[in-house]
């Protein structure tokens, strides 16, 4: 069964450093999403991406964040200058028809 | 009022019990509704979409009440493996944004 994959599974970084989280969505899917979940809290929408551009973003997704689909298969989330409060699990999801979303296993980011 | 609201629980029920969760949403223009299941430190997994006419999948039944702006999930004959957090997800009409509730924790006890 096709699945969304994410790398790395864990990332530890120093405050102020840039991180890139990678996702490979399911191959025939057209809609892509990033979410985050701070430990013990709810899943929060960050951004949706369709047709090579951002279709919607939340208040959390400020200028420190960017997304890219560089090569037609990978979908990346970049955090330019990480803050302590960026520590969370980051989930990528993809969808064929803007209905059912399939989530990747997540990247656990720890900012020290 | 929160956009999507759930009772966090935990709901502790014995094996074989029937348990029901509700989720309320604030935006009457909401379009799509889903129940996801999340195990500890894992990704959310789709349990079922919720349709206006209600839908059933084995032991699970989901219903939508647009007038009162809530969706429900009923689990019959609960199993130990049903222990998880159940997430209510709502998509607002005309947006690509999906709002998650805080989740309801279920513990099924032997």
């Amino acid at each position: 069964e096709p699945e969304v994959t994410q790398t790395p599974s864990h990332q530890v970084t120093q405050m102020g450093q840039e991180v890139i989280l990678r996702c490979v969505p399911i191959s025939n899917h057209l809609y892509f999403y990033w979410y985050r979940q701070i430990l013990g809290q709810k899943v929060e929408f960050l951004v949706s991406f369709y047709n090579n551009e951002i279709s919607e973003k939340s208040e959390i997704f400020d200028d420190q964040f960017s997304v890219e689909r560089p090569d037609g298969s990978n979908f990346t989330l970049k955090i330019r200058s990480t803050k302590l409060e960026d520590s969370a699990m980051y989930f990528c999801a993809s969808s064929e028809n803007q209905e059912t979303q399939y989530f990747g296993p997540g990247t656990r980011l720890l900012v020290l | 009022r929160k956009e999507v609201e759930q009772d966090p629980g935990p709901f502790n029920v014995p094996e074989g019990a029937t348990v029901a969760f509700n989720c309320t949403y604030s935006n009457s223009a909401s379009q799509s509704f889903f129940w996801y299941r999340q195990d500890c430190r894992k990704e959310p997994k789709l349990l079922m979409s919720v349709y206006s006419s209600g839908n059933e999948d084995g032991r699970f039944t989901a219903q939508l009440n647009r007038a009162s702006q809530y969706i429900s999930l009923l689990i019959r004959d609960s199993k130990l493996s049903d222990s998880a957090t159940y997430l209510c997800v709502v998509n607002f009409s005309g947006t690509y944004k999906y709002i998650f509730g805080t989740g309801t924790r279920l513990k099924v006890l032997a």
Side-chain angles (χ1 to χ4, degrees), chain A residues 37 48 56 98 100-101 104, chain B residues 32 36 38 43 46 95-96 98:
Chain A
Q37 187 173 31
S48 57
E56 188 128 13
Q98 212 186 333
T100 305
Q101 293 183 46
Chain B
S32 305
Y36 277 75
Q38 187 176 30
E43 74 272 25
L46 179 71
T95 78
Y96 291 87
Y98 291 77

Side-chain angles (χ1 to χ4, degrees), chain B residues 4 15-16 20-21 24 28 58 68 70-71 74 91-94 96 101 103 105 108:
Chain B
V4 177
E15 258 186 301
F21 310 130
T24 57
S28 60
S68 301
Y70 75 84
I71 65 172
L74 182 80
N91 167 241
F92 299 147
S93 180
Y96 291 87
R105 274 180 58 210
V108 181

Side-chain angles (χ1 to χ4, degrees), chain A residues 35 37 42-43 45 48 55-56 59 91 98-101 103-104 108, chain B residues 32 34 36 38 41-44 46 49 95-98 100-102:
Chain A
Y35 294 86
Q37 187 173 31
K42 68 175 186 175
V43 176
F45 170 84
S48 57
S55 43
E56 188 128 13
E59 313 75 43
F91 292 110
Q98 212 186 333
E99 281 285 315
T100 305
Q101 293 183 46
F103 283 74
R108 186 169 296 283
Chain B
S32 305
F34 309 88
Y36 277 75
Q38 187 176 30
R41 296 178 178 262
K42 299 282 191 179
E43 74 272 25
L46 179 71
S49 303
T95 78
Y96 291 87
K97 190 175 177 181
Y98 291 77
F100 279 70
T102 52

Side-chain angles (χ1 to χ4, degrees), chain A residues 18-71:
Chain A
E18 174 183 286
V19 294
I20 297 176
L21 310 183
R22 292 184 166 78
C23 168
V24 179
I26 294 173
S27 62
N28 64 332
H29 284 188
L30 302 175
Y31 300 87
F32 313 111
Y33 310 85
W34 282 102
Y35 294 86
R36 79 170 186 194
Q37 187 173 31
I38 295 169
L39 190 63
Q41 296 186 26
K42 68 175 186 175
V43 176
E44 297 175 290
F45 170 84
L46 291 178
V47 66
S48 57
F49 192 88
Y50 170 71
N51 202 25
N52 282 321
E53 60 182 23
I54 290 174
S55 43
E56 188 128 13
K57 59 185 181 180
S58 72
E59 313 75 43
I60 303 167
F61 194 89
D62 61 22
D63 292 343
Q64 293 299 313
F65 291 88
S66 62
V67 290
E68 207 177 28
R69 190 157 157 79
D71 56 14

Side-chain angles (χ1 to χ4, degrees), chain B residues 54-87:
Chain B
N55 45 309
E56 190 173 310
D57 182 3
R59 299 181 293 110
F60 299 85
T61 301
Q63 294 203 311
L64 166 63
N65 185 319
R66 283 194 184 272
S68 301
Q69 293 181 207
Y70 75 84
I71 65 172
S72 64
L73 177 68
L74 182 80
I75 306 176
R76 287 180 297 278
D77 187 24
S78 45
K79 314 281 184 205
L80 294 176
S81 56
D82 294 333
S83 297
T85 297
Y86 290 84
L87 308 175

